[in-house]
Amino acid sequence: MSPLAPVLQGFFTDKLIAQRQASGHTIAAYRDTCRLLREFASAQARKQPCQLDIADLDAPLITAFLEHLETGRANTVTTRNARLAAIRSLYRYAALHAPEHAAVISRVLAIPPKRSDRAIVCYLDAEQTDALLAAPGQATWLARRDRALLLVAVQTGLRVSELTGLTISDVHLGAGPHVRCHGKGRKDRATPLTRQTVAVLRAWLAERRGKPGDPLFPTRDGRPLSRDAVERLVGKHAAAAAARCPAITSKNVTPHTLRHSAAMALLHAGVDTSVIALWMGHEDPASTQIYLHADMTIKEQALARVQPRGTPPGRYRAPDTLLAFLDTL
């Protein structure tokens, strides 16, 4: 067995699981990165994966692997950088447990992430949101479920994983109605609900029935909706809403678009960005700055305060009312 095998095993069992107590999503993402890297390195070095050593996974090979992700697998720069972050985490662990490979490890750790373009966030305005919420209708059980899900998503701004993880007991419709979720970073978050959302959820819960631990938005057989299922239903209803509001066709409507729409609605209502960060469950309040960048209303208000070029300096003063009266005679 090569020296890489115990290092790789210790990285997952000791560092990720025992020390960091990483989430299942993090472990799965790091696992997939290591699997892809070992398959690529095995083909390049013409060795079985169990025969690979740390020396085989040097900086040129890691660089070629990252290039393969973008060209061969058509991954985005964001995905490429996420894979690199997982590799660097593995090599930082290897630096302590395989010091004889310090030179190889240091060169891999020096590989920088690639810079990428940052697009303006896509969101729905009030008219487009209303069209989307009206698209499912209320004729069938699935339609009523989808309408309740879309309304909760666009009002609370929950992530898709938080939406699919909601149970009946997470909804509180009494005094101070709110929905609780166990979100990203293992943070519990409570989000208040509007009267419209409370009314729709009350009717849905009366029809949904079930036990407190059952999923709030289930499939036909009672299981939680998957991420892909939510993405499909959002796309389906967005296509239907385009007939009522053609402006939706120019936007890529995904579950995360509804999250952005919730944040932009709060921003347009004059809510402070620090409060929006708490509402959205952002670890860093700076993450909320993307909504300021996307909001043309705030930029137009700033433009209105700028003094036009070519105008004399000084504060404008209205003419004397008596002189104005005399000028009209």
Side-chain angles (χ1 to χ4, degrees), residues 14 33 46 65 72 79 84 97 126 208 241-242 247 267 287 302 316 328:
D14 184 28
T33 298
R46 296 182 180 180
F65 170 69
T79 302
L84 175 60
H97 296 81
R208 166 71 180 88
L267 187 63
S287 302
Y316 171 77
T328 61

Side-chain angles (χ1 to χ4, degrees), residues 171-174 177 195-208:
V171 180
H172 303 269
L173 302 181
R195 292 181 180 178
Q196 179 191 10
T197 307
V198 169
V200 171
L201 281 178
R202 183 171 284 119
W204 167 245
L205 287 174
E207 181 179 6
R208 166 71 180 88

Side-chain angles (χ1 to χ4, degrees), residues 144-211:
R144 292 187 289 273
R145 181 205 65 184
D146 292 356
R147 180 170 179 267
L149 185 149
L150 291 174
L151 183 58
V152 170
V154 81
Q155 193 254 293
T156 63
L158 295 180
R159 299 177 178 90
V160 64
S161 59
E162 296 167 346
L163 274 174
T164 57
L166 288 177
T167 63
I168 294 176
S169 61
D170 292 327
V171 180
H172 303 269
L173 302 181
H178 64 276
V179 60
R180 301 184 66 90
C181 73
H182 188 68
K184 187 177 180 181
R186 296 190 180 89
K187 296 190 296 292
D188 288 328
R189 190 164 86 254
T191 306
L193 301 173
T194 63
R195 292 181 180 178
Q196 179 191 10
T197 307
V198 169
V200 171
L201 281 178
R202 183 171 284 119
W204 167 245
L205 287 174
E207 181 179 6
R208 166 71 180 88
R209 301 175 183 269
K211 300 177 182 178

Side-chain angles (χ1 to χ4, degrees), residues 57-120:
L57 307 179
D58 55 7
L61 185 135
I62 299 297
T63 302
F65 170 69
L66 296 174
E67 183 69 22
H68 165 71
L69 292 178
E70 292 188 74
T71 57
R73 296 179 60 87
N75 290 159
T76 63
V77 174
T78 302
T79 302
R80 179 256 193 204
N81 289 340
R83 300 293 190 197
L84 175 60
I87 294 171
R88 294 175 71 174
S89 181
L90 169 63
Y91 274 66
R92 282 193 292 268
Y93 179 83
L96 301 175
H97 296 81
E100 66 275 13
H101 295 287
V104 173
I105 293 172
S106 62
R107 284 193 288 270
V108 171
L109 292 177
I111 299 175
K114 181 178 283 189
R115 301 183 64 179
S116 60
D117 297 333
R118 295 186 180 181
I120 296 178

Side-chain angles (χ1 to χ4, degrees), residues 211-239:
K211 300 177 182 178
D214 291 342
L216 179 61
F217 303 115
T219 60
R220 287 184 179 274
D221 54 5
R223 293 180 299 175
L225 285 169
S226 66
R227 177 187 295 267
D228 291 339
V230 175
E231 191 161 343
R232 285 195 297 270
L233 73 86
V234 170
K236 179 183 71 173
H237 295 309

